[in-house]
């Protein structure tokens, strides 16, 4: 099956096989090398940084070459069947390394580990360790078990674990952008989705630890944080301790957390992902509008433009509700860029219902979209209740139409920006040439412009946009 996506750092589940390497090596080296490769969403990449931190503490160092590794971890994604297929193919390649080095420990982490549990050990003979997303603190212990000649599994999900006290080591970092997890799990039960099963119940992380992490990042020179959760709008933290008489315990909601993060410094950009249409409040929108450093960019997955399909998907909003939220964004933050996720060919979707998705796209004029063919996941509500009855060929055709429509919209949006001046956070050199800088605008569009001596990566530049390709704006610093 084929997926088509427009790449983005925060939300590209198709990201695959990036090896994460730490530049600096920690003290009390145990002489063993860890290779860790991540698939799936930003939360998985963020988790790999927690895993690396836990193992660095035990004296491991990281390597970018799995052939010299003593421990290979693959942090996996189950969101669609092809995501799992990629991982299985990759495991075959690790087999070769294991033949050469029988002492090598191979571990499967993340969502596929949680979904398949000990079945993984039966299916994939070379795997020694299977560890779910809430059990990473147990990794050193599990590696010890493997060293003792056993195979080890820990897939316990937790209602509390947020790894709040672990300060993630930044892997493959440009020193400018960082992901910060603010919550884990998901309590929604979208019928197509495997995440509630692989990541467990939703829980929010202590805001003090979040603000401390973001402040430390800023002090180290980072200039952009992306607050991560499957449904950031339902972030909620209640202070511990006695509540006084009738005074309620202080609670922090997502709008409050955004504000606290924005106040760290006006020089720190704040992004977040993902918002849920049923939960995004006007309070959040006003907070975004109030602070210049909270980026005018909202990822608001629609999935379908048709109310009957949305109901079957158990998204708990309908077309009118979604449109109401879009109108609120346009009213409160007129400059806001909006992106989305679309699933095409969900169970029993008719041609007319597919057209409703296209008309929704016309209504919103999304800046970006991640577009997927429905992939049935074992154990989900949809798999139990509905037949996956749209033929592949039709899914593919509908996807093509959706992608074509999105390309038109992305192009129009970028064209409108020609002649404007955009504030760009410089992230480094452009992939194509070290004569050009690249960075992103407030609205998350990629901008490329010639290097000038006045600016360095990590600084902001005002860039006059002169032209655009389908996904990138090109201009010069002014
Ligand atoms: N928590 C986020 C989404 C996480 S998964 C949210 O609620 O928006 C990212 C995207 O993958 C989803 O928005 C959906 O578009 C897609 N997706 C999830 N399950 C899928 C499936 N079974 N088949 C195809 N796409 C799927
Ligand atoms: Fe999956 Fe829905 Fe939760 Fe998103 S909100 S992770 S789509 S169940
Ligand atoms: Fe994939 Fe798990 Fe993220 S299924 S999309 S890695 S939460």
């Amino acid at each position: 099956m084929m997926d088509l996506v427009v790449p983005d750092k925060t939300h590209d589940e198709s990201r695959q096989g990036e090896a994460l390497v730490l530049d600096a090596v920690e003290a009390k080296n145990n002489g063993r090398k860890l290779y860790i490769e991540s698939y799936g969403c930003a939360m998985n990449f963020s988790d790999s940084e927690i895993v690396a931190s836990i193992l660095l503490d035990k004296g491991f160092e990281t390597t970018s070459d799995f052939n010299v590794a003593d421990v290979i971890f693959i942090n996996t994604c189950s969101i669609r069947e092809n995501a799992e297929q990629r991982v299985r193919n990759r495991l075959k390649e690790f087999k070769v390394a294991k033949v050469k080095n029988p002492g090598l420990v191979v571990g499967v982490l993340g969502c596929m580990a949680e979904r398949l549990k000990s079945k993984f050990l039966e299916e994939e003979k070379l795997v020694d360790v299977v560890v779910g997303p809430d059990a990473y603190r147990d990794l050193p212990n599990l590696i010890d078990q493997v060293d003792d000649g056993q195979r080890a599994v820990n897939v316990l999900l937790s209602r509390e674990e947020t790894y709040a006290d672990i300060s993630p080591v930044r892997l493959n970092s440009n020193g400018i952008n960082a992901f910060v997890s603010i919550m884990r799990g998901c309590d929604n039960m979208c019928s197509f989705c495997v995440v509630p099963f692989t990541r467990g119940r939703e829980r929010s992380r202590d805001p003090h630890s979040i603000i401390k992490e973001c402040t430390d990042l800023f002090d180290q020179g980072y200039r952009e944080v992306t607050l991560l959760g499957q449904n950031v709008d339902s972030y909620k933290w209640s202070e511990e301790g006695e509540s006084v008489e009738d005074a309620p315990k202080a609670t922090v909601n997502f709008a409050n957390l955004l504000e606290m993060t924005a106040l760290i410094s006006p020089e720190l950009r704040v992004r977040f992902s993902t918002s849920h249409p049923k939960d995004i409040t006007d309070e959040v929108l006003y907070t975004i509008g109030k602070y210049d450093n909270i980026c005018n960019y909202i990822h608001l997955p629609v999935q379908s433009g048709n109310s009957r399909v949305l109901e079957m998907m158990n998204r708990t909003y309908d077309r009118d509700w979604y449109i109401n939220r879009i109108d609120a964004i346009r009213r409160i933050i007129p400059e806001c860029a909006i992106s989305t996720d679309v699933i095409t060919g969900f169970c029993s979707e008719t041609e007319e219902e597919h057209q409703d998705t296209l008309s929704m796209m016309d209504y919103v004029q999304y800046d970006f979209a991640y577009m997927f063919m429905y992939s049935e996941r074992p154990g989900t509500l949809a798999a139990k209740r509905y037949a996956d009855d749209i033929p592949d060929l039709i899914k593919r055709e509908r996807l093509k139409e959706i992608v074509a429509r999105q390309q038109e919209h992305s192009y129009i949006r970028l064209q409108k920006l020609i002649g404007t001046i955009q504030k760009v956070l410089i992230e480094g050199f452009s992939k194509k040439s070290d004569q050009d800088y690249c960075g992103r605008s407030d609205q998350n569009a990629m901008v490329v412009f010639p290097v000038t001596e006045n600016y360095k990566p990590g600084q902001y530049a005002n860039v006059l946009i002169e032209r655009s390709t389908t996904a990138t704006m090109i201009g010069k610093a002014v």
Side-chain angles (χ1 to χ4, degrees), residues 20 22 26 34-38 43-62 71-76 107-111 129 131-140 142-143 162-163 166-171 181 184 199:
L20 297 169
L22 183 74
E26 295 273 298
L34 165 71
Y35 172 87
I36 181 163
E37 191 171 283
S38 307
M43 303 221 56
N44 245 19
F45 282 72
S46 165
D47 280 1
S48 290
E49 300 189 327
I50 288 168
V51 167
S53 170
I54 291 170
L55 290 191
L56 251 74
D57 253 13
K58 295 287 169 195
F60 284 82
E61 59 177 288
T62 54
V71 174
I72 295 181
F73 282 158
I74 179 161
N75 196 354
T76 61
V108 177
L109 321 183
C111 291
V129 198
V131 192
D134 287 346
Y136 296 146
R137 286 181 201 268
D138 199 24
L139 276 168
L142 296 167
I143 292 175
T162 58
Y163 301 109
I166 294 183
S167 108
V169 294
R170 304 293 158 183
L171 296 164
S181 289
R184 300 182 70 82
R199 295 253 160 191

Side-chain angles (χ1 to χ4, degrees), residues 139-156:
L139 276 168
N141 175 35
L142 296 167
I143 292 175
D144 284 346
Q145 286 182 34
V146 176
D147 291 341
D148 289 344
Q150 302 160 41
R151 298 169 93 193
V153 180
N154 187 343
V155 288
L156 286 178

Side-chain angles (χ1 to χ4, degrees), residues 185-255:
C186 182
D187 277 355
N188 296 312
M189 271 288 171
C190 302
S191 63
F192 51 79
C193 186
V194 77
V195 172
F197 304 96
T198 62
R199 295 253 160 191
R201 298 304 295 270
E202 181 185 292
R203 64 222 98 119
S204 296
R205 176 179 168 193
D206 181 341
H208 303 106
S209 75
I210 297 170
I211 297 304
K212 179 173 183 308
E213 187 175 330
C214 294
T215 307
D216 288 349
L217 284 165
F218 182 76
D219 291 343
Q220 289 160 33
Y222 285 80
R223 288 297 173 263
E224 184 179 286
V225 290
T226 303
L227 306 180
L228 293 180
Q230 292 299 351
N231 177 3
V232 289
D233 302 287
S234 66
Y235 177 88
K236 193 163 179 237
W237 176 265
S238 300
E239 288 297 337
E240 291 274 315
E242 301 282 302
S243 58
V244 189
E245 300 279 287
D246 294 333
K249 283 183 194 170
T251 61
V252 177
N253 66 16
F254 184 57

